[in-house]
Amino acid sequence: MKTNINLRSYNSFGFDAVAKEFVEINDANELQTLIRRGQLKGKEVLVLSGGNNILFTKEVFDGIVLYMNNKGIKRIADEDDHAILRVQAGEDWPEFVKQMVAKELHGVENLANIPGKVGAAPVQNIGAYGMELKDSFVQCEAIHLETGKKRTFVNKECLFGYRSSIFKGMLRGQYVITSVDLLLKKDAPLNMEYGNIKAYLEQNGIDNPTLQQLHDAICAIRYAKLPDVKQIGSAGSFFKNPVIERAQFEALQKDYSTMPHYDEPNDKVKVPAGWLIEQAGWKGWRNEHVGVYDKQALVLVHFGGGKGEDIVYLAKRIQDSVEEKFGIRISPEVNFV
Ligand code: EPU
């Protein structure tokens, strides 16, 4: 166990926050031992994975950080048409996706280059370009932070939704995910319906893409729109895309005929928060330390020298101004600590 560790390099926003205590977990059993010895008792616990979806709002985290760094990828089933992979929580997600694509296994290619570690992927059911983690998720193993007991959560039990799961909802803060099992197909149609994937492939003269070519195209599309967290601090999309009633959408459409939208079940419509924020005039806005990314307004960025509070303040101003213009309150997808 280490004490007084600066977490700047452990969060993709790159904010300073000092953790009173910090333990790196390299094996699920180590975590169970810590719990059984009572070393977490009475302490505030923060499970830290890649730190890509977290905003530190205070300079000191007065508790214990569990940094998940257990590694290993194992094929636990190998059938004619699919394989099941058991992936330890500390594995890097983009690297895992690359390896699967190289092995011609389908099911995670559209989730290419989403920064983060495998253990965090189910927590918010990561999604991009028409694919979500839940589509290939079989089950995960998790450890209860109070009792140290292991439990398996199958897909249904995780209550996956858009950027949500039971681990972000009802069971928030109670379990640590230690490994994830994913079912990947040996052959499957490629999913190229979302946004500009087809246009990108066409522009690059690719008619009938291979799995690898689709993966690489997604990486290129992301690269053009989203900041590289190694260069500019961010947590990817800062807000969720709001889902509104169809009646409200139709009323708005009278004034804003170009509003992009996606139909949802139960007479609801999802509208892109990035579009709303851009229309409210925020795209590219910045001060010395923080701002709104100029290529994708859904991403708030930290240019350096700022504090988490600067983002909190900016996010609130954006929420207020979007609400004033459209009557829609957008909410963050990033976790505040
Ligand atoms: N748009 C604008 N202005 C902007 C940004 C977007 O007008 O500044 C419009 C676009 O033109 C497009 C629509 O909004 O019509 C959607 O934009 P985009 O395809 O970039 O996707 P998004 O809805 O803004 C979501 C995810 C991303 C994911 C992309 C691609 C959420 C909160 N975000 O963004 O996920 O990569 O779709 O699937 O659902 C993340 O969660 O961190 C993340 C990056």
Side-chain angles (χ1 to χ4, degrees):
M1 182 165 328
K2 296 178 187 162
T3 52
N4 297 321
I5 294 289
N6 189 335
L7 300 174
R8 186 196 293 183
S9 62
Y10 293 91
N11 73 101
S12 58
F13 261 125
F15 288 121
D16 286 317
V18 174
K20 273 280 167 64
E21 294 181 319
F22 181 99
V23 193
E24 182 171 320
I25 307 292
N26 294 301
D27 185 310
N29 296 331
E30 285 174 25
L31 177 57
Q32 286 184 302
T33 309
L34 266 182
I35 297 169
R36 289 191 178 137
R37 286 192 187 141
Q39 283 175 292
L40 305 185
K41 273 244 156 63
K43 294 177 186 169
E44 196 181 340
V45 177
L46 172 67
V47 180
L48 192 58
S49 187
N52 291 279
N53 205 43
I54 202 165
L55 176 66
F56 288 118
T57 59
K58 295 185 213 119
E59 279 162 42
V60 175
F61 174 71
D62 194 12
I64 182 164
V65 170
L66 304 177
Y67 175 59
M68 297 306 291
N69 207 24
N70 53 332
K71 306 276 190 202
I73 302 176
K74 213 165 141 188
R75 209 181 267 231
I76 58 168
D78 203 0
E79 304 294 332
D80 285 349
D81 61 342
H82 71 266
I84 298 181
L85 283 297
R86 176 157 298 165
V87 198
Q88 299 303 309
E91 287 286 344
D92 182 64
W93 177 264
E95 277 307 315
F96 166 69
V97 172
K98 266 188 215 159
Q99 283 186 35
M100 295 306 109
V101 169
K103 292 189 159 80
E104 291 282 328
L105 289 172
H106 296 240
V108 285
E109 57 281 2
N110 291 33
L111 306 179
N113 243 358
I114 296 183
K117 292 187 183 227
V118 169
V123 177
Q124 63 153 351
N125 181 26
I126 56 170
Y129 305 100
M131 195 176 265
E132 286 184 321
L133 182 82
K134 73 167 170 50
D135 307 331
S136 53
F137 181 97
V138 179
Q139 57 182 32
C140 66
E141 194 173 82
I143 293 176
H144 192 265
L145 275 167
E146 264 174 30
T147 62
K149 280 201 183 129
K150 276 189 186 164
R151 178 176 158 187
T152 298
F153 288 86
V154 298
N155 191 312
K156 267 198 176 151
E157 291 172 308
C158 296
L159 307 181
F160 289 125
Y162 165 60
R163 294 296 191 277
S164 73
S165 76
I166 195 164
F167 305 107
K168 226 181 155 179
M170 246 154 63
L171 296 183
R172 189 186 196 104
Q174 293 190 37
Y175 280 92
V176 181
I177 294 172
T178 52
S179 70
V180 179
D181 293 356
L182 299 173
L183 186 151
L184 302 179
K185 299 207 170 116
K186 295 193 177 171
D187 196 14
L190 299 180
N191 179 346
M192 297 179 282
E193 292 311 311
Y194 187 91
N196 53 353
I197 298 180
K198 279 186 182 149
Y200 176 89
L201 291 166
E202 234 165 69
Q203 278 158 22
N204 288 276
I206 304 170
D207 271 351
N208 210 352
T210 61
L211 183 63
Q212 185 71 53
Q213 282 172 322
L214 174 59
H215 170 274
D216 296 350
I218 303 254
C219 290
I221 294 169
R222 286 187 72 92
Y223 186 73
K225 277 199 170 177
L226 299 166
D228 177 354
V229 289
K230 287 182 199 113
Q231 282 159 30
I232 304 178
S234 91
S237 298
F238 191 86
F239 298 101
K240 287 193 267 202
N241 288 331
V243 177
I244 60 175
E245 297 296 332
R246 179 166 299 278
Q248 186 183 7
F249 169 70
E250 279 167 3
L252 282 166
Q253 217 182 12
K254 290 196 181 111
D255 292 328
Y256 305 99
S257 58
T258 60
M259 192 174 202
H261 59 282
Y262 319 99
D263 290 338
E264 292 279 311
N266 305 321
D267 243 2
K268 299 222 162 50
V269 179
K270 192 188 267 182
V271 290
W275 186 88
L276 299 172
I277 297 167
E278 178 172 353
Q279 295 297 310
W282 287 98
K283 195 170 185 169
W285 181 95
R286 65 166 292 175
N287 66 21
E288 196 185 340
H289 303 303
V290 296
V292 179
Y293 196 50
D294 57 0
K295 298 189 191 79
Q296 164 52 294
L298 195 49
V299 179
L300 303 189
V301 290
H302 173 217
F303 299 107
K307 292 189 163 133
E309 282 163 33
D310 299 333
I311 292 283
V312 176
Y313 181 63
L314 173 60
K316 187 162 183 314
R317 286 179 62 197
I318 292 172
Q319 283 172 306
D320 289 347
S321 97
V322 165
E323 188 169 14
E324 199 174 307
K325 191 170 168 76
F326 297 102
I328 299 172
R329 186 82 186 164
I330 53 173
S331 55
E333 72 146 87
V334 169
N335 296 308
F336 290 39
V337 172

